[in-house]
């Protein structure tokens, strides 16, 4: 069936949405901006109870490397179910877990995998972040942590304290390379180098007020923060700075992992080898799974130092192992890099045609379009203030056109695209056609933040 065709509407749709808003907490998130009721899904496509079909570029917040219900994932799950294997086993050894660990280690940077330990954590990315912090604190006997402005590491206490949105935090905050609004006014490699020097000076200046930390955590591409790929040179500098000072480097690949950025792990681009790597989302093949993998010298935990009931999800391990193997066998990391570069080029032409696009950026199939106030003057670095109202209008117009996208960034003004790595060229074109159309419509109907009339187009929409 063609993507735009509809299936018969289900009358339950409205009632389900109404009951959700009455019963679920005020903290519900995606459900507010995406009032749909998914009932079936395959690959890039979700079918709603209202009978409409959507192209899903949210992919479970970057979880679905192979899209929805990929046959190899379903087959792996069915095999476990049909085998009679126990589904709940705490952290006991099983053939399913053994196969998952073997497959995961085969994909990791060799220097890490050869002398690595793995800890299966509670099922969410944030659980693995907490485990990483606890691990480096135990190993170093130190307490403080370093993290970056704009970061996102999760919603549990310590992970949140290391994230950009935290209000009360003891975690020392460092500048992340931020090209578009570079705090040093330069942008590019130079801005990143100045950010690295600031980090180095905080560590070396005995009067900086920053105690020697237990660890530093960073994302190779900040995702929720607004899609900021860090330059490889900056990542290498962070590796050198931390290694020279015996500070464990924790790399959070919860969102960037499993091919998303055009390399199997985003650290592969720069060649850095972290001391701890935090993994979740795609490694579970759409089911909950989270682990940390770390250098064995850091393994000074006592038995039971980090426990948890749900660390043995057999279905997630089977689905995850199948996903890792499929991405590896089909070089989907390379495909993500090539297709992402082509999509970025098309987004660049969209930016050239619309005043309201401040910047498009990304790496692989982790792409972002930042919407800005088309009437405001650019600052010294050429950046203009974010326009979250227009971004929300674009997201809504996308949904109207059967395209699911979400917003990210400091001001929720970055439209994010995280399609499955399996999409075809035609599907990529369909995504960008719908986005371009939605943008034109949103610009036509949304006044600028300063109340101006709709934007003038610079050219024709690609
Ligand atoms: N780290 C990163 C980089 C993430 O993007 C996320 C989730 N978006 C997390 C950690 C937290 O993962 P979870 O929501 O599964 O706790």
């Amino acid at each position: 069936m063609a993507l735009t065709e509809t299936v018969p509407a289900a009358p339950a749709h409205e009632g389900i949405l109404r009951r959700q808003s009455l019963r679920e907490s005020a903290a519900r998130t995606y459900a507010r901006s995406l009032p749909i009721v998914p009932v079936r899904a395959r690959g890039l496509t979700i079918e709603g109870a209202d009978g409409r079909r959507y192209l899903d570029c949210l992919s479970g917040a970057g979880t679905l490397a192979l899209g929805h219900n990929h046959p190899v994932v379903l087959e792996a799950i069915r095999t476990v179910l049909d085998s009679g294997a126990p589904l709940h086993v705490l952290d006991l050894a099983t053939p399913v877990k053994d196969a998952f660990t073997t497959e995961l280690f085969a994909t990791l940077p060799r220097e890490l995998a050869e002398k690595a330990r793995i800890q299966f954590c509670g099922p969410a990315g944030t659980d693995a972040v907490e485990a990483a912090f606890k691990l480096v604190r135990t190993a170093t006997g130190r307490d403080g942590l370093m993290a970056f402005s704009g970061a996102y590491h999760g919603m549990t206490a310590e992970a949140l304290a290391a994230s950009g949105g935290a209000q009360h935090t003891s975690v020392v905050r460092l500048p992340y390379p931020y090209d578009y609004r570079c705090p040093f006014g330069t942008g590019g490699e130079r801005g990143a180098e100045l950010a690295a020097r600031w980090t180095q000076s905080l560590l070396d200046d005995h009067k900086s007020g920053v105690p020697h930390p237990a660890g530093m955590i960073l994302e190779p591409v900040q995702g929720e923060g607004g899609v900021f790929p860090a330059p490889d040179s900056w990542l290498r500098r962070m590796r050198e700075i931390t290694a020279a000072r015996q500070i464990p480097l924790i790399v959070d690949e919860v969102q960037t992992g499993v091919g998303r950025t055009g390399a199997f792990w985003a650290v592969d681009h720069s060649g850095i080898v972290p001391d701890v790597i935090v993994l979740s989302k795609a490694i579970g093949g759409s089911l909950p799974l989270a682990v940390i993998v770390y250098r064995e010298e850091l393994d000074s935990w006592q038995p039971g130092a980090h426990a948890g009931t749900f660390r043995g999800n057999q279905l997630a391990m089977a689905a995850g192992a199948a996903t890792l193997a499929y991405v590896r066998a089909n070089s989907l990391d390379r495909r993500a890099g090539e297709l992402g570069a082509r999509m970025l080029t098309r987004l660049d032409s969209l930016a050239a045609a619309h005043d309201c696009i401040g910047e498009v950026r990304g790496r692989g199939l982790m792409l972002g379009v930042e919407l800005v106030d088309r009437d405001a003057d650019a600052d010294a670095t050429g950046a203009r203030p974010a326009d979250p109202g227009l971004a929300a209008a674009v997201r809504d117009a996308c949904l109207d056109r059967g395209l699911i996208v979400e917003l990210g960034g400091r001001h929720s003004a970055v439209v994010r695209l995280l399609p499955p790595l399996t999409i075809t060229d035609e599907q990529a074109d369909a995504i960008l056609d719908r986005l371009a159309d939605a943008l034109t419509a949103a610009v036509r109907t949304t006044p600028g933040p300063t109340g101006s009339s709709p934007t003038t187009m610079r050219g024709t929409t690609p």
Side-chain angles (χ1 to χ4, degrees), residues 149-203:
S149 50
Y152 186 83
H153 298 295
M155 280 284 164
T156 50
E158 292 275 350
L160 187 59
S163 297
Q167 297 295 319
H168 309 288
T169 174
S170 54
V171 177
V172 171
R173 217 43 71 100
L174 303 167
Y176 193 85
Y178 190 3
D179 221 9
Y180 188 58
R181 293 192 181 83
C182 178
F184 304 103
T186 58
E189 294 274 335
R190 173 91 187 130
E193 172 54 23
L194 292 173
R197 279 196 211 173
W198 173 250
T199 296
Q200 193 169 332
S201 77
L202 276 188
L203 287 166

Side-chain angles (χ1 to χ4, degrees), residues 189-266:
E189 294 274 335
R190 173 91 187 130
E193 172 54 23
L194 292 173
R197 279 196 211 173
W198 173 250
T199 296
Q200 193 169 332
S201 77
L202 276 188
L203 287 166
D204 292 348
D205 177 356
H206 296 297
K207 293 286 180 188
S208 68
V210 177
H212 206 57
M216 172 191 282
I217 184 164
L218 60 80
E219 296 154 88
V221 180
Q222 284 190 343
E224 306 299 330
V227 195
F228 291 101
D232 292 339
S233 56
W234 180 83
L235 286 165
R236 285 192 281 268
R237 288 277 280 126
M238 290 303 107
R239 179 62 286 189
E240 282 159 27
I241 289 170
T242 48
R245 292 161 185 77
Q246 285 77 50
I247 300 168
L249 177 64
I250 304 164
V251 175
D252 180 343
E253 289 243 26
V254 166
Q255 192 163 139
T256 50
V258 194
R260 170 72 47 200
T261 69
F264 204 98
W265 305 107

Side-chain angles (χ1 to χ4, degrees), residues 53-126:
R53 287 163 174 264
Y54 303 87
L55 305 183
D56 180 13
C57 273
L58 181 55
S59 296
T63 301
L64 303 167
L66 305 185
H68 292 275
N69 291 329
H70 192 282
V72 304
V73 169
L74 296 183
E75 177 60 27
I77 292 172
R78 277 195 199 103
T79 303
V80 176
L81 288 176
D82 294 346
S83 73
L87 296 180
H88 190 292
V89 289
L90 298 166
D91 67 350
L92 302 185
T94 66
V96 173
K97 184 197 250 189
D98 186 54
F100 170 79
T101 307
T102 303
E103 185 57 48
L104 178 65
F105 276 36
T107 66
L108 286 168
R110 189 168 316 151
E111 204 184 317
L112 177 63
E114 272 171 2
K115 292 190 166 188
R117 294 283 166 157
I118 184 168
Q119 166 75 18
F120 287 83
C121 306
T126 199

Side-chain angles (χ1 to χ4, degrees), residues 92 128 287 395 453:
L92 302 185
L287 298 178
R395 179 193 56 206
S453 53

